Amino acid sequence: MIRKTVILAIFILVVGSLPTIAQNFVEGIDSDAIIERILSADAQRSQFLKDVVFEAEWVEGEDKDGRFKEKVRFDKKVFIKYLKDTALLAEEYLAYYKEGEQQSDKDLRGEAKDRLKKKKKRKARDISYPMLEPFYSEKRSEYKIEYLGVATDSIDSYVCHHFKVSALIEDENHINGDFYFDAETFNAVRIDFTPAKLVRKTMFKISKLDLTVHFAPGVDGLWLPTQFDIDMKAKAAFLFGVKVRGTEYYRNPVINSGIDDSMFEVSDEN
């Protein structure tokens, strides 16, 4: 009851008609203390989580007449294994749909191979990427981190602390973004981000790459990714333009099942 009262009080400060008090409330918060709570929650999660397998669905399409129209869809399994300093991710493509019609196994294998090849070549980020890296002590000096208070609107139905992160190093390995953390548990709820520098090579130039990862509590209250949104515009050689707008959904996670290392071995087929 006390915890709910505290959260309600925060909400009233933000959305009520008390702008001066709300501003003082934000200014009076020790943002470093909040970051420590965030890192503590992340560390507890990391100690428990060794691997996870998701049932996944990738839906890709375009806006048409003010509505999203699906063009392709894949049913997949996503495997993630967490190591000490990194994480490994593998994908198994199970079914391929184009304009709502299921395609042949041959087309599935060909499309899967092509997409995995492009992902590797572009070094595309996925949910195995350490999203909280800007907050880690060894990386914090490479970022400007601003605490913007409690988000005015609820984020995926949660009251959240809002941080704005700006990279001080402009390259493809750093990110800019908005981070929202649950005010009760300090777990990440949503992260909107983009690379600090977009890929601009002779044969492939990206002009826009907006990424969003959503998290929610699942098995044993463990917060895991539930959705990954991608909105990309690029230009490839000999093509007018490339647009990718899609969402990957993650469902029915299986935790710590003991994924074999062979799952992450790279072959010509993968």
Side-chain angles (χ1 to χ4, degrees):
M1 180 63 71
I2 293 176
R3 186 163 53 188
K4 290 183 178 179
T5 301
V6 171
I7 298 300
L8 179 60
I10 293 174
F11 183 77
I12 292 173
L13 281 170
V14 175
V15 304
S17 57
L18 300 172
T20 303
I21 297 177
Q23 182 63 32
N24 291 337
F25 174 77
V26 171
E27 292 176 352
I29 284 183
D30 183 352
S31 59
D32 287 335
I34 296 177
I35 291 175
E36 289 306 312
R37 295 291 299 274
I38 290 168
L39 295 178
S40 177
D42 184 58
Q44 291 178 23
R45 173 180 171 276
S46 298
Q47 287 177 359
F48 175 79
L49 188 60
K50 305 305 178 186
D51 60 62
V52 59
V53 181
F54 292 102
E55 293 178 7
E57 179 184 42
W58 167 255
V59 181
E60 183 179 317
E62 62 182 357
D63 288 323
K64 193 170 184 179
D65 299 326
R67 299 179 64 183
F68 179 80
K69 181 180 180 182
E70 176 185 314
K71 295 176 67 177
V72 298
R73 172 164 50 93
F74 293 92
D75 293 334
K76 304 194 293 183
K77 273 195 174 181
V78 174
F79 305 80
I80 306 177
K81 188 168 187 176
Y82 298 93
L83 305 179
K84 183 177 180 180
D85 298 316
T86 188
L88 305 176
L89 183 144
E91 298 172 289
E92 180 182 354
Y93 283 73
L94 304 175
Y96 170 33
Y97 301 85
K98 188 174 183 180
E99 306 292 346
E101 296 290 332
Q102 185 167 359
Q103 306 298 296
S104 68
D105 288 344
K106 180 181 179 181
D107 288 337
L108 168 65
R109 290 193 297 271
E111 191 70 17
K113 184 177 181 179
D114 182 58
R115 285 174 176 261
L116 290 169
K117 182 179 178 180
K118 287 179 179 177
K119 179 181 177 180
K120 181 180 178 181
K121 185 177 181 180
R122 297 171 185 172
K123 298 180 181 179
R125 285 181 171 84
D126 52 44
I127 57 171
S128 68
Y129 178 77
M131 301 294 174
L132 300 189
E133 186 176 84
F135 295 86
Y136 298 159
S137 58
E138 62 271 23
K139 291 289 185 177
R140 207 177 302 177
S141 63
E142 299 173 12
Y143 290 90
K144 177 183 178 182
I145 299 178
E146 301 174 80
Y147 177 59
L148 302 184
V150 177
T152 303
D153 299 319
S154 64
I155 305 298
D156 295 348
S157 301
Y158 291 91
V159 177
C160 292
H161 293 291
H162 180 192
F163 286 86
K164 188 172 187 63
V165 169
S166 304
L168 300 178
I169 300 174
E170 276 195 35
D171 64 15
E172 300 167 18
N173 297 319
H174 290 73
I175 62 174
N176 299 321
D178 290 277
F179 290 67
Y180 300 91
F181 299 93
D182 176 35
E184 183 175 355
T185 66
F186 297 93
N187 285 285
V189 173
R190 194 181 84 199
I191 301 174
D192 303 322
F193 68 103
T194 188
K197 184 178 181 180
L198 298 176
V199 173
R200 294 186 178 278
K201 298 180 180 179
T202 303
M203 302 295 287
F204 189 76
K205 297 180 181 180
I206 297 177
S207 59
K208 176 183 179 181
L209 182 55
D210 294 337
L211 308 167
T212 296
V213 184
H214 303 257
F215 303 83
V219 180
D220 297 325
L222 193 68
W223 287 69
L224 295 169
T226 58
Q227 182 176 323
F228 189 17
D229 305 319
I230 298 175
D231 189 358
M232 183 186 77
K233 291 182 181 180
K235 186 175 182 179
F238 313 116
L239 294 174
F240 289 105
V242 177
K243 293 183 179 181
V244 176
R245 181 165 179 252
T247 295
E248 189 153 277
Y249 301 95
Y250 307 98
R251 307 182 178 101
N252 302 320
V254 177
I255 307 296
N256 296 343
S257 61
I259 304 174
D260 193 277
D261 289 344
S262 62
M263 177 61 65
F264 306 99
E265 294 176 358
V266 178
S267 69
D268 290 338
E269 294 299 319
N270 294 308

